[in-house]
């Protein structure tokens, strides 16, 4: 339990550390992982340790370890919606869109979601060429957070993909009204 508590504390410190202090953040993350790895060795049913370990590995972009630990969390605690969300984000990053959609929709059904959940879901549908569901997902992200530039930019790209250029242009203009210098919006 002590290893879990200390590992979790370090993960919190990592999340709150200044992004400019990369060395400090890496050190905190590595120490967090070490403590949480010890925790799951001591107690193979420590589902919160697995979840925090998956989150830490996600931060390090070690997606195989993220998946491994999130699945271990679900083995012990099948109802853990946060693990489904993390798996969905990870599978999205690996271009495994069907698995991403499966896990993200499970997280949403279990009422664990945010605007980012819908952006990852929309991106997964977009990656599969399912622009109708991508548009629905990006609109839901905007509904949850009306000034989400990433959602507007992705929504505009989805509209453009179905050749709905009027809505694409309108959406891109809205994105630029929130952040006039957004390079990604200009890219599309």
């Amino acid at each position: 339990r002590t290893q879990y508590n200390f590992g979790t504390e370090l993960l919190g410190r990592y999340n709150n550390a200044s992004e400019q202090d990369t060395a400090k953040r890496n050190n905190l993350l590595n120490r967090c992982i070490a403590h949480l790895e010890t925790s799951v060795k001591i107690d193979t049913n420590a589902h919160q340790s697995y979840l925090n370990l998956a989150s830490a590995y996600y931060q390090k972009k070690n997606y195989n370890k993220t998946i491994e630990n999130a699945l271990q969390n679900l083995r012990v605690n099948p109802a853990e919606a946060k693990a489904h969300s993390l798996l969905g984000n990870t599978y999205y990053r690996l271009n495994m869109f069907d698995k991403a959609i499966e896990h993200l929709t499970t997280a949403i059904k279990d009422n664990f979601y945010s605007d980012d959940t819908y952006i990852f879901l929309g991106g997964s549908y977009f990656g599969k060429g399912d622009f109708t569901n991508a548009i629905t997902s990006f609109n839901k992200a905007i509904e949850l957070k009306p000034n989400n530039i990433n959602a507007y930019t992705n929504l505009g790209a989805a509209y453009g993909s179905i050749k709905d250029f009027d809505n694409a242009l309108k959406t891109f203009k809205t994105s630029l009204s929130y952040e006039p210098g957004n390079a990604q919006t200009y890219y599309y």
Side-chain angles (χ1 to χ4, degrees):
R1 183 98 178 120
T2 302
Q3 294 298 323
Y4 162 75
N5 288 338
F6 197 59
T8 301
E9 172 66 24
L10 290 170
L11 184 59
R13 288 182 192 176
Y14 166 82
N15 289 330
N16 293 326
S18 168
E19 289 191 19
Q20 288 77 30
D21 197 346
T22 306
K24 178 181 179 180
R25 286 174 58 91
N26 285 335
N27 180 288
L28 287 168
L29 200 52
N30 290 334
R31 289 173 48 211
C32 163
I33 288 170
H35 285 284
L36 291 170
E37 287 283 4
T38 300
S39 174
V40 297
K41 285 178 186 165
I42 293 168
D43 180 0
T44 59
N45 291 321
H47 65 92
Q48 277 303 125
S49 292
Y50 285 120
L51 185 60
N52 287 339
L53 199 49
S55 295
Y57 279 122
Y58 184 83
Q59 295 297 324
K60 289 185 73 74
K61 296 180 175 46
N62 185 335
Y63 299 131
N64 290 331
K65 287 292 225 177
T66 301
I67 291 167
E68 174 188 323
N69 285 285
L71 289 174
Q72 284 290 15
N73 172 276
L74 290 173
R75 174 190 61 79
V76 178
N77 185 16
E80 180 61 66
K82 187 174 180 182
H84 284 291
S85 180
L86 187 56
L87 281 166
N89 296 355
T90 304
Y91 285 128
Y92 166 81
R93 298 233 181 253
L94 296 171
N95 295 326
M96 299 171 74
F97 301 123
D98 288 328
K99 285 187 172 192
I101 291 166
E102 173 190 339
H103 286 285
L104 291 166
T105 54
T106 298
I108 290 166
K109 285 177 191 169
D110 291 341
N111 291 317
F112 184 88
Y113 58 85
S114 67
D115 55 315
D116 285 337
T117 309
Y118 281 99
I119 290 173
F120 279 104
L121 182 60
S124 298
Y125 282 124
F126 191 99
K128 289 183 52 145
D130 183 349
F131 302 115
T132 301
N133 278 321
I135 289 167
T136 300
S137 298
F138 295 135
N139 274 317
K140 184 64 178 176
I142 291 166
E143 182 182 313
L144 292 170
K145 186 176 178 188
N147 63 347
N148 189 318
I149 296 152
N150 195 14
Y152 280 108
T153 302
N154 284 301
L155 178 60
Y159 279 131
S161 295
I162 60 170
K163 310 234 183 290
D164 183 348
F165 299 118
D166 289 338
N167 274 324
L169 185 59
K170 179 180 148 192
T171 304
F172 289 138
K173 284 181 179 179
T174 302
S175 175
L176 291 172
S177 74
Y178 288 111
E179 188 177 317
N182 186 295
Q184 185 181 7
T185 303
Y186 283 110
Y187 172 79
Y188 287 110

